[in-house]
Amino acid sequence: MTNYIPEQGRPWDDIREEMQGMRGRDLDWRHGRHGAYVWYAGDDLEDVLREAYGMFLVENGLGIRVFPSIQRMEAEVLATAADLLSAPEGSAGIFTSGGTESIFLAIYAAREWARATLPDIAVPEFVAPHSAHPALNKAAHLLGMTVTRVPVGPDFRADPAALEAAISPSTIGIYCSAPTYSLGLVDPVPAISEVAAARGLWLHVDACVGGILAPSVRELGYAVPPFDFANAGVTSISADLHKSGFLAKPASTVTFRTAGHHAYARYRFDDWPSGLYQGFNFTGSRPGGPIAAAWAGQQFLGREGYRRLAASSMRTKEALITSLGEIPGFRLHGQSDLWSFAFALDGVAAPALAGAMFKRGWVTGVTTSPAGIHVMPTPVHEPFSDEYVHAIRECAAEVQAGSAPEAAPARYN
Ligand SMILES: Cc1ncc(COP(=O)(O)O)c(C=O)c1O
């Protein structure tokens, strides 16, 4: 094998230059060519995130008791998430490495809760709409649980009656999204919350995409459907700081309705030579950088900054839907509630359209049910929305003329 560490260290100027060169063929997110992976809200915020991250690069949140600085920043970011999600007094949260860890911890806590309160269930099950993010299945797979997915309703949102009908003697919880990744739709949480409460089940709301910015969208006067802890049956909510919080990766939150629910996510072990080892995260060492950057970024943006990002995201969506709507055969998939949406052009196969877009440098997600194109507008996309629509028009014409390159497969990554 090759060992890439040079015998003698190299000057940083050299190394930086080589790294800049490596970026040459990377996704051009600064020009809004992306539909996933990147949330960017301007160089001024990026500078703050980079510097704050660097200030706490070496510190480790695993040893939180010796870093009161990290402890305070983490507590304030978690309290803010709880406030944004209308969590009641006594709620408690965990700062995590992303949506997948937040969801994992919620499902883990639910499993531990079920072990304590429903001991007859051997293999616990979650019931979810087909639109749920794969992180749910990943968590269940790792935790020895099962997931039953049921079809969504005709409006492409979770169908509360179908979820209820799927509940079995092994069901311990229900899962829904605010919004779903693929179509940007907020599931009918109030009705699902009633089912969960009536059946005594855990209800997790995956607000990884929307949880942090949706309250600002609502403040702007948009009618965002209710999805948070104001619904009495909601037990836990995941909300990513590194998505619509526009903060540095890796950073997310999971909030539990009560300290009791939160306590089920704790892992403790002491049968080894160094005594008690405990914590709430899947990870052991926890970088101080993302916690510091999250706190600093929120202080820098302020509520006004978040309203600005929300306004830009919503304006971009509206402009895109208006312009795309002028293309013959345009169909919006469901009534998008926040900034993301999906659409189809009748007579134009979405994978072929995405393949043609990819050839031109646009990384475009494909949805399968229903078949379509996924769009995740954020402020960095706003100046490029006309270019995007122009590219879609040209690519659609190519597809219809049979001259499009290879179709893009439906894959997230
Ligand atoms: C709705 C939803 N939930 C969970 C996740 C997982 O988040 P992460 O990739 O940060 O682990 C995503 C990622 O896109 C998502 O869209």
Side-chain angles (χ1 to χ4, degrees):
M1 297 297 286
T2 309
N3 182 330
Y4 288 97
I5 304 175
E7 187 54 37
Q8 301 297 328
R10 300 162 55 194
W12 167 232
D13 281 352
D14 254 29
I15 302 167
R16 187 198 299 111
E17 201 181 315
E18 186 175 340
M19 290 169 76
Q20 287 296 1
M22 288 184 202
R23 282 183 144 164
R25 291 174 50 241
D26 281 0
L27 167 69
D28 184 9
W29 52 266
R30 280 192 185 273
H31 295 95
R33 266 39 182 179
H34 57 296
Y37 315 135
V38 169
W39 297 76
Y40 167 78
D43 283 351
D44 52 352
L45 176 63
E46 201 188 324
D47 287 344
V48 170
L49 298 180
R50 186 183 301 107
E51 195 170 335
Y53 204 112
M55 277 175 74
F56 287 83
L57 189 72
V58 177
E59 281 76 3
N60 188 344
L62 178 62
I64 196 96
R65 72 201 158 95
V66 294
F67 298 117
S69 54
I70 297 184
Q71 197 170 29
R72 175 183 150 194
M73 291 187 283
E74 178 169 45
E76 293 186 7
V77 170
L78 289 173
T80 300
D83 182 66
L84 292 172
L85 300 169
S86 314
E89 267 319 297
S91 70
I94 308 172
F95 190 108
T96 77
S97 60
T100 301
E101 188 188 1
S102 291
I103 291 163
F104 176 85
L105 293 175
I107 305 303
Y108 170 61
R111 190 193 73 174
E112 296 303 288
W113 162 80
R115 278 186 175 167
T117 59
L118 307 163
D120 294 339
I121 298 181
V123 181
E125 170 196 53
F126 256 75
V127 171
H130 183 249
S131 52
H133 190 274
L136 169 63
N137 282 70
K138 186 174 187 175
H141 176 72
L142 296 171
L143 291 164
M145 298 168 60
T146 60
V147 176
T148 299
R149 287 182 180 239
V150 303
V152 294
D155 57 357
F156 305 120
R157 298 177 198 271
D159 175 350
L163 291 169
E164 184 163 26
I167 292 170
S168 79
S170 296
T171 305
I172 65 160
I174 306 178
Y175 186 98
C176 60
S177 307
T180 55
Y181 176 74
S182 309
L183 304 191
L185 305 175
V186 175
D187 285 328
V189 177
I192 299 169
S193 160
E194 276 180 27
V195 173
R199 300 295 202 107
L201 299 174
W202 187 291
L203 173 56
H204 181 72
V205 177
D206 173 357
C208 285
V209 168
I212 302 295
L213 198 61
S216 304
V217 174
R218 195 176 278 138
E219 279 177 42
L220 295 173
Y222 290 94
V224 178
F227 66 86
D228 63 20
F229 285 106
N231 298 285
V234 173
T235 318
S236 53
I237 304 182
S238 46
D240 291 359
L241 301 162
H242 67 201
K243 293 194 176 77
S244 65
F246 293 93
L247 301 164
K249 287 185 262 303
S252 170
T253 63
V254 55
T255 306
F256 297 86
R257 176 173 288 278
T258 70
H261 292 106
H262 172 254
Y264 285 113
R266 182 197 299 273
Y267 180 76
R268 291 168 179 273
F269 187 80
D270 63 6
D271 187 13
W272 73 313
S274 286
L276 181 63
Y277 178 96
Q278 62 170 338
F280 289 90
N281 287 86
F282 182 80
T283 53
S285 284
R286 297 194 307 131
I291 296 170
W295 186 85
Q298 290 190 333
Q299 296 299 310
F300 180 74
L301 282 170
R303 296 181 195 200
E304 185 277 327
Y306 274 114
R307 281 193 296 274
R308 201 164 17 86
L309 299 177
S312 167
S313 305
M314 295 303 285
R315 241 186 351 253
T316 310
K317 170 184 103 167
E318 287 161 357
L320 284 168
I321 290 180
T322 303
S323 305
L324 290 166
E326 289 164 7
I327 303 178
F330 173 83
R331 240 176 333 116
L332 188 61
H333 288 326
Q335 289 305 312
S336 141
D337 298 299
L338 291 162
W339 47 89
S340 57
F341 65 96
F343 70 94
L345 296 179
D346 286 338
V348 181
L353 183 54
M357 289 290 281
F358 190 76
K359 190 85 190 290
R360 292 168 184 238
W362 297 90
V363 175
T364 306
V366 173
T367 62
T368 54
S369 52
I373 295 291
H374 174 252
V375 190
M376 180 72 84
T378 66
V380 72
H381 295 91
E382 188 165 16
F384 305 105
S385 54
D386 287 348
E387 278 182 49
Y388 174 83
V389 176
H390 184 72
I392 286 279
R393 273 184 183 278
E394 289 195 346
C395 291
E398 264 179 44
V399 173
Q400 280 172 322
S403 58
E406 211 179 315
R411 52 183 292 180
Y412 178 77
N413 58 356

